[in-house]
Each structure stands twice: as C-alpha cells, then as structure tokens.
Amino acid sequence: MPSPDNKIIFAGPVGAGKTTAIAAISDIEPVRTDAAASDMTLQRKGETTVALDYGLLQLDQDCKVHLYGTPGQERFDFMWEIVSRGGIGLVLLLDNTRPNPVKDLQFFLKAFQPLLRQAPLVIGISKTDLKREPDVESYALLLARFGMRPPVFEVDCRRREDVKQLVLALLYSLDPGLEA
C-alpha cells in the first residue's frame, strides 16, 4: 500500500515529455526550472529543464504522490541522484523521434540503476505518432534480454489519461492489491 507521501521520478532524454507529463497529471500548478536552451538541445526545443520539475497528485484525502522530473541533458546528471533519493519508482519516458531511442533506453537504465535496484520501472514511449519504430514490442523484447519486464506503453504526454496509466502501472507494481 502506498504511504501517505510517495515520490515518483520521471526521467528520460531531452524532449521526451517529462515536464509535459507532470503538467498533464499534477493537481497543482507544476514547479518548473526551465532555462533557454543554448546547446544542441536548441535543435529540439527552445527551453530545457535545468534542475527539476515538481508536481503533486492527490490520490485521496490521506495519500499523495510527489512527481519529480529530472533534467534530460547528461550535463545535469548530478541532479538525477539527488532527485531520485527516496523515490518509490521510475517512469522512464523515451522520445521515439530521437536518432537512437534504444540507445537512450540503455543509457537511462544504466544511469538510474541505483534507483532501479530497489524500485519498479514503467516505460512510456512518446511521439510514436511521428515515428512508429521501434514499437512497444521491440522495447519489451530488448528489456526481456536484460532480464527486465516492466510495463511499456505508447503515450502522449499531453494527455492526462496516458500519464495516469503510467503512474497507475507503477503503483500497481508496488502493490498489486491496489487494483481491487
């Protein structure tokens, strides 16, 4: 059963939809630490997260989920460990339009390995409407080769229901009895 206060981490490469996902599901106005992009990120978007994003999801009167989004750029990787402390699970978002989203998957699995040793993982694949491959099954097969079987979903990070599906899958992996 989730405790009264829970912390879920959203991670992934620049442009995967972390900030957008948190904004879509948060019950409060999200806190954002965006700054103007000044490097190759500028090719993908005008602003980027430099510290973290924060939102809150109130499950019921006594139980809430704190949503923390990490910066996607590797140069801010020092924030990944800081933000991950106390996390009960990881939502890894991958942008299917990036040059090598499978490499991104491998990179972020390794980068968040300390958290994943103790917490479940859910993967959301964004922008599949723009680039169909790799598909969900391809990601699932690759993860199985790594000995991992996390839930993998196609998501539109702008849609509350899609992000809710990711969060619920993560909570169900923590406590399968929640479905009842």
Side-chain angles (χ1 to χ4, degrees):
M1 180 70 120
S3 68
D5 289 294
N6 305 281
K7 181 179 180 181
I8 293 177
I9 311 305
F10 284 71
V14 170
K18 301 173 296 293
T19 300
T20 302
I22 289 172
I25 199 166
S26 180
D27 291 328
I28 64 168
E29 183 65 32
V31 175
R32 299 175 182 174
T33 59
D34 289 348
S38 60
D39 57 7
M40 63 184 163
T41 303
L42 196 53
Q43 297 169 1
R44 298 196 72 78
K45 60 186 204 166
E47 289 188 328
T48 189
T49 301
V50 294
L52 60 86
D53 294 314
Y54 173 77
L56 182 69
L57 183 59
Q58 193 76 41
L59 296 180
D60 62 31
Q61 184 176 345
D62 300 319
C63 190
K64 56 187 167 186
V65 177
H66 301 272
L67 310 168
Y68 285 86
T70 63
Q73 293 182 56
E74 191 174 353
R75 68 185 171 133
F76 298 119
D77 66 350
F78 65 93
M79 287 299 299
W80 300 348
E81 181 183 343
I82 294 167
V83 173
S84 293
R85 286 186 198 134
I88 63 167
L90 178 68
V91 173
L92 178 57
L93 295 173
L94 299 168
D95 175 352
N96 232 33
T97 65
R98 284 179 51 93
N100 194 340
V102 169
K103 186 175 177 182
D104 291 338
L105 169 67
Q106 294 169 319
F107 174 82
F108 282 94
L109 289 177
K110 184 176 180 183
F112 284 87
Q113 192 173 27
L115 176 61
L116 294 174
R117 282 191 199 109
Q118 61 193 25
L121 168 69
V122 173
I123 298 176
I125 312 301
S126 65
K127 303 180 186 174
T128 56
D129 56 324
L130 302 174
K131 186 175 176 213
R132 297 292 312 154
E133 295 295 324
D135 59 11
V136 168
E137 293 77 25
S138 299
Y139 285 106
L141 288 171
L142 176 64
L143 289 158
R145 287 198 307 238
F146 298 149
M148 303 174 78
R149 298 197 185 284
V152 181
F153 300 97
E154 287 185 9
V155 294
D156 180 336
C157 295
R158 300 167 294 188
R159 295 191 57 221
R160 182 177 176 89
E161 287 303 311
D162 285 13
V163 181
K164 180 179 172 184
Q165 181 180 35
L166 293 170
V167 171
L168 286 176
L170 191 65
L171 293 174
Y172 291 153
S173 37
L174 285 164
D175 185 354
L178 289 174
E179 289 183 279

